[in-house]
Amino acid sequence: MDQQQGYADDVVKGFILWSMVWGLVTVLIGVLISLQLVYPQLNLPPFLTYGRLRPVHTNAGIFGWGIGSFMAFFFYITQRLTKTRLWSPGLARVQLWLFNVIIALAAVTLLAGMNRSKEYAELEWPVALLVVVLWVIFSVNIIMTIAKRKEEQMYISLWYILATLVGVAVLYLVNNVSIPVSLFKSYSAYAGANDANVQWWYGHNAVAMVLTTPPLALFYYYLPKSTGVPIYSHRMGVIAFWSLIFMYLWTGAHHLLWTPVPDWVQTLAMGFSVMLIAPSWASVFNGYFSMEGQWNQMRDNYLVKFLIFAITFYGLQTLQGPSQAVRTFSAFIHYTDWVPGHVHMGTLGWVSLVIFAGIYYTIPKLYGREIYSVGLANLHFWLAVTGQIIFSITMWVAGVQQASMLHASNPDGSLHYSFMETLIELYPYWTWRSIAGIIYLASLLVFLYNIVKTISAGKAQPAEQKA
Amino acid sequence: MDLASVYYLGVTFLLFGIFVAIVVRTYSRKNRERGEDPKYRMMHED
């Protein structure tokens, strides 16, 4: 069944194209703020300072590039896995407009300094309310499509999609409970350690429900589609899904080790974080085992290259994350540049590589054209991986050096280095991070060029290959 | 450990019980073919 036979794919195109715009904005601002750390004179107060631009970078990345493309893929995948037309294409078009209005409003308000001071939940209450409306519209459309599906058994991607819809709704509502004092200012309904606990329950589960379950939904869909071979074990996928859901929601307090949050809450978070290795690696193994007899496709099929590197970065990420959640290790690297190295392996490596693969697979199907240049897709891949690896390794080394300096003490117990002295030592690493960011930006430009040319000048696809 | 902590852990164990039930059901012999069927069906949905 293709668009002519009933699928609502125009809105999928819209979300993909707009998410690419926001993705470019994300990386451009990321490069700019990395340069602002190296060259402080690039800070132009009040609007274009690091403090104002950094939340724009994270919000555009997570919500514009991440959520935007996931909305596209959820519409695309759900229709095909259920063999059912989208419940309301009209509502989806409203959603596309509202989505872009919200991202633009987020950028403007954050640049103007309107900020709840909660990481990844910075948006002030009027914009946050619009986000709730957006999510309700989105969820109703997807859930109603699944409810009237023609396939009784649900493929694993649909479980991850449903978890995303429910999980984000619960997290966003609870952590955004606020008391408005004006149109542009509100205060959290929680206080002190409770506020911190709720915030990091939200913050870490944003990683779960935005940066883990949606890319896993995509991975389980696009890997078999790209290789032409079914996933190794659907049942293992189901078990991995439920154990991931069972464990993830308890882990947020590992962001608050060595704080006034009760010790047993910290210990519970630490324990569940380590247990999370099992479901995470079940998906990694499911991906690797699916490649049995197909590893030659890593050479011949650029989509497989993106997806297998993505799941490998996911595997590394889900070993490094639990390690950082252990008290002793956390005491060493927390509050250093190690952390952005970890985060960017997830966002640039795992999440973005899956999205790239999804777009490379989907756009030719939707437009009935072949990809403009496989050579450019390969160039994009190697530039992206190179940029990401330089970024992460540079930050890990910087983090270890900074941690060592922060922990060095004199015989009388006083600190050997001041915080400022650690920052001065970080300048060379920050320069390398900017270089890595510029390489990643170059990869993104190659990708955008390839997609635009595919849409405008790609060769027509044979009829049997169209979606 | 106060009452709130006991509730917290109680909910944890309850959810763990549900999880174990899901594992047993998914890997029961009766559900073997049914559990793997979606991965074949999704290959033909285009």
Side-chain angles (χ1 to χ4, degrees):
Chain A
M1 194 177 350
D2 61 17
Q3 187 167 348
Q4 285 69 42
Q5 291 170 292
Y7 290 150
D9 284 338
D10 282 344
V11 74
V12 178
K13 294 177 186 173
F15 270 108
I16 288 179
L17 296 178
W18 275 105
S19 72
M20 293 195 308
V21 171
W22 296 118
L24 180 62
V25 170
T26 305
V27 179
L28 280 172
I29 296 178
V31 170
L32 173 60
I33 60 176
S34 77
L35 288 168
Q36 284 180 330
L37 288 176
V38 184
Y39 307 105
Q41 59 272 32
L42 291 176
N43 285 271
L44 302 173
F47 301 113
L48 301 179
T49 56
Y50 182 91
R52 297 277 177 95
L53 283 167
R54 197 265 182 180
V56 179
H57 167 66
T58 53
N59 277 267
I62 297 170
F63 303 114
W65 167 236
I67 293 269
S69 55
F70 296 142
M71 285 174 166
F73 294 126
F74 283 12
F75 285 140
Y76 181 86
I77 291 173
T78 302
Q79 292 185 89
R80 282 154 180 82
L81 288 179
T82 58
K83 289 190 171 64
T84 306
R85 180 178 164 80
L86 193 64
W87 181 66
S88 173
L91 206 55
R93 281 192 291 276
V94 171
Q95 182 190 327
L96 176 60
W97 282 102
L98 186 56
F99 164 77
N100 282 308
V101 167
I102 288 171
I103 301 294
L105 273 176
V108 170
T109 54
L110 290 171
L111 286 176
M114 298 165 198
N115 191 320
R116 295 178 70 235
S117 306
K118 285 190 161 203
E119 199 167 14
Y120 316 128
E122 292 93 347
L123 305 180
E124 271 299 351
W125 67 273
V127 187
L129 276 178
L130 288 177
V131 173
V132 174
V133 173
L134 178 82
W135 203 256
V136 169
I137 290 174
F138 179 43
S139 302
V140 166
N141 220 347
I142 293 287
I143 290 169
M144 289 305 291
T145 306
I146 293 176
K148 67 187 185 87
R149 69 186 183 277
K150 297 186 175 77
E151 287 280 327
E152 186 201 351
Q153 282 264 77
M154 295 206 306
Y155 183 65
I156 186 64
S157 296
L158 291 175
W159 285 104
Y160 279 109
I161 287 171
L162 285 172
T164 304
L165 299 179
V166 175
V168 168
V170 172
L171 294 165
Y172 202 82
L173 286 174
V174 173
N175 192 43
N176 275 277
V177 176
S178 305
I179 301 165
V181 291
S182 73
L183 187 58
F184 302 117
K185 186 64 201 163
S186 63
Y187 291 98
S188 173
Y190 317 102
N194 283 338
D195 190 39
N197 205 14
V198 171
Q199 158 59 21
W200 284 110
W201 167 78
Y202 164 89
H204 194 73
N205 286 294
V207 175
M209 296 299 162
V210 177
L211 303 178
T212 301
T213 51
L216 280 173
L218 270 58
F219 178 77
Y220 276 112
Y221 181 83
Y222 285 109
L223 184 70
K225 288 291 180 186
S226 301
T227 59
V229 178
I231 200 79
Y232 167 72
S233 170
H234 189 260
R235 288 183 301 164
M236 188 159 92
V238 170
I239 296 301
F241 167 79
W242 284 109
S243 47
L244 189 95
I245 297 304
F246 169 63
M247 291 172 196
Y248 230 123
L249 290 172
W250 312 89
T251 59
H254 71 216
H255 286 258
L256 298 165
L257 301 178
W258 307 103
T259 69
V261 169
D263 254 8
W264 69 268
V265 176
Q266 297 180 33
T267 304
L268 201 67
M270 192 171 74
F272 272 83
S273 300
V274 173
M275 284 157 62
L276 258 184
I277 294 172
S280 306
W281 271 80
S283 290
V284 177
F285 282 128
N286 223 341
Y288 286 163
F289 290 164
S290 303
M291 292 296 293
E292 195 178 340
Q294 305 295 324
W295 285 105
N296 61 306
Q297 293 203 40
M298 281 293 283
R299 185 185 60 231
D300 307 327
N301 185 340
Y302 68 97
L303 291 173
V304 174
K305 216 179 297 184
F306 274 95
L307 289 163
I308 291 299
F309 264 70
I311 201 70
T312 302
F313 283 127
Y314 175 63
L316 295 173
Q317 187 78 356
T318 51
L319 283 179
Q320 195 181 52
S323 308
Q324 294 167 200
V326 174
R327 272 198 183 90
T328 43
F329 193 33
S330 174
F332 186 63
I333 53 87
H334 206 181
Y335 311 117
T336 72
D337 274 3
W338 174 283
V339 178
H342 170 68
V343 171
H344 283 80
M345 178 162 66
T347 51
L348 299 181
W350 158 234
V351 179
S352 292
L353 288 189
V354 170
I355 294 174
F356 290 140
I359 293 176
Y360 276 130
Y361 179 93
T362 308
I363 284 288
K365 296 265 183 197
L366 294 180
Y367 286 88
R369 296 174 185 278
E370 291 181 5
I371 192 74
Y372 174 69
S373 168
V374 172
L376 285 179
N378 277 308
L379 176 65
H380 164 215
F381 171 79
W382 286 113
L383 283 172
V385 170
T386 304
Q388 188 264 304
I389 287 176
I390 293 175
F391 188 119
S392 289
I393 291 179
T394 305
M395 288 295 96
W396 295 331
V397 176
V400 170
Q401 175 165 342
Q402 190 180 22
S404 304
M405 292 178 75
L406 288 171
H407 286 79
S409 59
N410 299 314
D412 65 356
S414 61
L415 292 176
H416 190 71
Y417 297 102
S418 68
F419 179 67
M420 190 56 75
E421 283 174 304
T422 72
L423 292 187
I424 290 167
E425 291 299 317
L426 292 180
Y427 270 80
Y429 302 109
W430 288 345
T431 303
W432 272 104
R433 172 168 60 183
S434 296
I435 293 168
I438 290 167
I439 293 171
Y440 205 90
L441 175 61
S443 85
L444 193 61
L445 293 174
V446 171
F447 163 70
L448 294 175
Y449 176 77
N450 207 2
I451 293 299
V452 169
K453 291 296 281 186
T454 299
I455 294 170
S456 62
K459 276 198 301 186
Q461 235 177 24
E464 69 274 13
Q465 287 181 23
K466 291 178 187 173
Chain B
M1 195 179 278
D2 58 11
L3 195 59
S5 311
V6 173
Y7 281 136
Y8 196 97
L9 285 176
V11 171
T12 306
F13 286 122
L14 174 68
L15 290 174
F16 184 70
I18 294 171
F19 172 65
V20 169
I22 291 170
V23 173
V24 170
R25 185 178 181 278
T26 303
Y27 274 95
S28 70
R29 282 189 188 170
K30 201 175 75 181
N31 283 323
R32 184 174 179 165
E33 280 184 21
R34 187 178 147 83
E36 294 296 343
D37 189 45
K39 77 179 183 189
Y40 300 112
R41 296 181 66 84
M42 69 85 69
M43 297 300 291
H44 306 296
E45 111 287 324
D46 275 354

